[in-house]
Amino acid sequence: MARKTMTLNLTDKEMAVLEVLCEKKDLSKTLLMRQALRLYQRVEERLEEGGKLFFENESTKEKSEIMML
Amino acid sequence: MKFEISREWIEAKARSEGDYEIGAGLLGFDPSVDDGTDGVVVAEESRLAFSRFVALSRRNLRLSAEGLADYADVELAEVMSIESDLSYEPEPRTVHQLAHAFSVDQRKLMELSGLARPKSPAFIHEAVRYAARSESLEELSEDEMVALEAMVAILSKR
Amino acid sequence: MSNLPDVSEIVLLQRETNELVPAELWDAITDKNLADWEHAWTPELLQRLLVLAKQGVAQKHWPQSFHWNWRDKAQSIKGLLDRQCFSVVCDDMTQAMMITDLSRRAQLESQKTDHLVYVDYVEAAPWNRSELSGVAPRYSMCGSVLINAAIQYSIMEGFKGRIGLHSLPQANGFYANHVGMTDLGLDADAHNLRYFEMTPEQAEEFIKKGG
């Protein structure tokens, strides 16, 4: 599968978050950003279909809506 | 993406794989067979619509029951049971052959016959509505022709 | 439908001769695979279901994937980055297919919320399924090949070989005993299908050289 390279400019704060997430999920920056892109695409697709993104508390079953970026 | 799966690995694993089934997939599970009964739970109306559709299509082709059985390569007894006995559950192969003979979507016809759970109950309701317009088994009236064409259109939609 | 897939050379076990024969693992489900499903798998499956029906086997004991529509499913995931398709081809015929999902997280306590490759759908061609006919499959090892591919894919994505799936009841033994996955039990949110998951250690054990 052909790959294309891009340069990503992040603020210090964004880079710090990225590094924390990479450490936490034991993923490289590239792999984590690719996962983020997949998630963004899926969220966008569901929003376009009229869906809403919720988190549900497993024990209380309480739902809270995520604010769309 | 390229994968490395060596001949040696296959040889080693083949000793233990045997004849296992491998199917996995949440979306593929047919909840209709989990209801404790021995068959798909089917609304009587859906079978009625299926029965009417087969009868209308046969008459439209100007075929007798025997003629349809020959044409579609199915058993005559099945054709007669489908058209006259609403409790009759058709064989999967027969539905497949009839879908081919009538040039409609095989899966949709399977759903209408009750052999598969409908993805969308709305299409069943639509088919039933049109089926109800046909009563007589003589030559198709103009209304019946319209009804048949509408049912073919529904069953042909992907 | 898709660009040309990447092809990996593999072998399958041809049961009639008990010999290993050349085959291919594709990283896609193409128009050719879907045509094979429509024109070869489906009629064969229906023939086999007819046999079951004539034997008086209750429908709840029929293979539960008999109404799967691969064309619809492939179309619905077209273009999605978190879905990856695979197919096994031998003798110019599709022998098995699989769709995976990268958006799910592990449930096993030791790896909870870690990323994994989730097997959305996997199915072998009807002639490779002994439960349908009572005779040996034409080709075996399709399942092992696809699970191996899912594990390698998981490693490529940084998920260390973790995979998960909901097994159809007839396949529980394959995932529990042959693949060596952990059984997390019946999943009430998934029609009570059994959920299996693989840790990195289990994955390494399964794909290691020498089996």
Side-chain angles (χ1 to χ4, degrees):
Chain A
M1 194 189 309
R3 296 280 168 112
K4 291 184 162 47
T5 303
M6 65 171 266
T7 302
L8 179 62
N9 294 317
L10 299 177
T11 64
D12 287 343
K13 211 167 158 185
E14 285 165 345
M15 182 60 88
V17 167
L18 178 56
E19 283 167 352
V20 163
L21 287 173
C22 286
E23 168 80 27
K24 193 170 170 186
K25 306 314 291 183
D26 196 11
L27 289 172
S28 67
K29 292 188 180 67
T30 299
L31 288 176
L32 190 133
M33 291 305 294
R34 287 173 65 201
Q35 264 303 87
L37 179 59
R38 289 168 189 140
L39 178 59
Y40 197 96
Q41 185 195 39
R42 287 297 263 152
V43 167
E44 202 52 39
E45 191 204 29
R46 294 302 292 271
L47 288 177
E48 280 170 8
E49 288 170 5
K52 281 185 183 177
L53 182 61
F54 286 92
F55 265 115
E56 183 183 85
N57 184 304
E58 259 188 320
S59 28
T60 68
K61 302 296 174 195
E62 203 183 312
K63 286 192 173 119
S64 57
E65 188 176 344
I66 297 253
M67 183 163 54
M68 289 301 122
L69 298 171
Chain B
M1 273 186 293
K2 291 272 205 170
F3 297 87
E4 178 65 45
I5 301 177
S6 70
R7 185 186 182 91
E8 292 69 34
W9 187 85
I10 295 280
E11 267 175 338
K13 284 293 181 215
R15 285 175 226 129
S16 59
E17 175 157 311
D19 292 346
Y20 278 121
E21 282 296 306
I22 68 167
L26 170 61
L27 297 175
F29 182 73
D30 182 357
S32 67
V33 293
D34 193 28
D35 59 9
T37 69
D38 278 354
V40 176
V41 175
V42 174
E44 213 175 88
E45 304 90 69
S46 179
R47 281 265 172 78
L48 170 64
F50 175 66
S51 170
R52 287 301 183 193
F53 173 72
V54 170
L56 280 176
S57 300
R58 174 179 62 73
R59 286 164 54 205
N60 188 45
L61 292 172
R62 300 184 188 283
L63 292 172
S64 62
E66 197 174 354
L68 175 60
D70 279 341
Y71 178 64
D73 187 25
V74 296
E75 301 214 0
L76 172 59
E78 273 246 270
V79 172
M80 294 178 70
S81 297
I82 286 168
E83 290 193 21
S84 60
D85 180 0
L86 285 187
S87 67
Y88 180 73
E89 192 167 287
E91 304 277 358
R93 180 189 175 273
T94 299
V95 177
H96 171 76
Q97 293 295 102
L98 289 174
H100 184 70
F102 301 145
S103 301
V104 294
D105 182 64
Q106 173 213 304
R107 186 189 157 79
K108 285 246 159 72
L109 200 60
M110 291 278 273
E111 290 174 12
L112 193 65
S113 72
L115 287 181
R117 187 181 179 88
K119 275 197 259 186
S120 154
F123 118 79
I124 298 284
H125 297 321
E126 236 187 306
V128 167
R129 247 184 336 125
Y130 285 110
R133 291 188 191 172
S134 71
E135 283 297 330
S136 130
L137 292 180
E138 300 304 321
E139 192 168 301
L140 296 184
S141 66
E142 207 175 292
D143 271 355
E144 285 174 327
M145 183 56 81
V146 167
L148 176 61
E149 282 168 3
M151 286 182 80
V152 169
I154 291 165
L155 289 167
S156 302
K157 264 190 238 171
R158 283 208 157 262
Chain C
M1 163 135 199
S2 65
N3 299 324
L4 290 175
D6 277 338
V7 177
S8 305
E9 303 293 333
I10 59 170
V11 292
L12 295 178
L13 181 65
Q14 185 179 64
R15 296 292 294 271
E16 192 186 10
T17 59
N18 211 37
E19 283 175 3
L20 295 178
V21 295
E24 294 177 344
L25 171 64
W26 296 5
D27 68 346
I29 290 174
T30 66
D31 287 336
K32 185 272 190 293
N33 303 121
L34 293 175
D36 287 347
W37 168 73
E38 264 161 358
H39 302 306
W41 288 33
T42 302
E44 179 78 20
L45 183 57
L46 287 174
Q47 282 296 331
R48 301 205 178 199
L49 292 178
L50 176 66
V51 170
L52 290 176
K54 281 196 167 152
Q55 288 171 348
V57 176
Q59 196 165 339
K60 68 181 175 195
H61 297 304
W62 288 10
Q64 283 160 324
S65 58
F66 81 84
H67 59 98
W68 286 10
N69 188 318
W70 280 91
R71 186 171 288 283
D72 281 355
K73 181 60 178 169
Q75 184 59 38
S76 74
I77 63 167
K78 201 174 167 183
L80 292 181
L81 297 176
D82 62 2
R83 296 299 204 272
Q84 180 64 47
C85 298
F86 299 87
S87 48
V88 174
V89 178
C90 184
D91 197 21
D92 197 32
M93 172 55 65
T94 305
Q95 304 296 335
M97 291 190 281
M98 177 172 74
I99 299 177
T100 60
D101 177 356
L102 292 180
S103 67
R104 301 226 192 182
R105 304 293 186 102
Q107 294 175 43
L108 195 53
E109 206 50 49
S110 63
Q111 52 190 29
K112 209 162 171 69
T113 78
D114 284 344
H115 292 286
L116 52 62
V117 167
Y118 176 79
V119 176
D120 229 351
Y121 258 156
V122 64
E123 189 178 24
W127 50 83
N128 291 332
R129 298 168 63 177
S130 58
E131 69 154 354
L132 288 181
S133 60
V135 299
R138 201 179 289 171
Y139 296 103
S140 49
M141 296 307 293
C142 293
S144 294
V145 162
L146 287 172
I147 292 300
N148 189 322
I151 290 169
Q152 288 190 47
Y153 181 42
S154 171
I155 293 169
M156 286 177 202
E157 292 298 331
F159 304 165
K160 301 185 171 35
R162 285 185 290 267
I163 64 171
L165 53 87
H166 286 90
S167 171
L168 295 182
Q170 296 98 332
N172 287 336
F174 177 73
Y175 295 108
N177 303 325
H178 177 70
V179 180
M181 298 175 77
T182 300
D183 179 357
L184 277 78
L186 301 177
D187 186 349
D189 292 330
H191 304 291
N192 281 323
L193 290 180
R194 200 164 284 275
Y195 178 65
F196 289 90
E197 215 169 86
M198 204 162 206
T199 63
E201 295 73 27
Q202 289 168 334
E204 191 184 334
E205 180 64 27
F206 184 69
I207 66 170
K208 73 180 183 190
K209 282 187 175 33

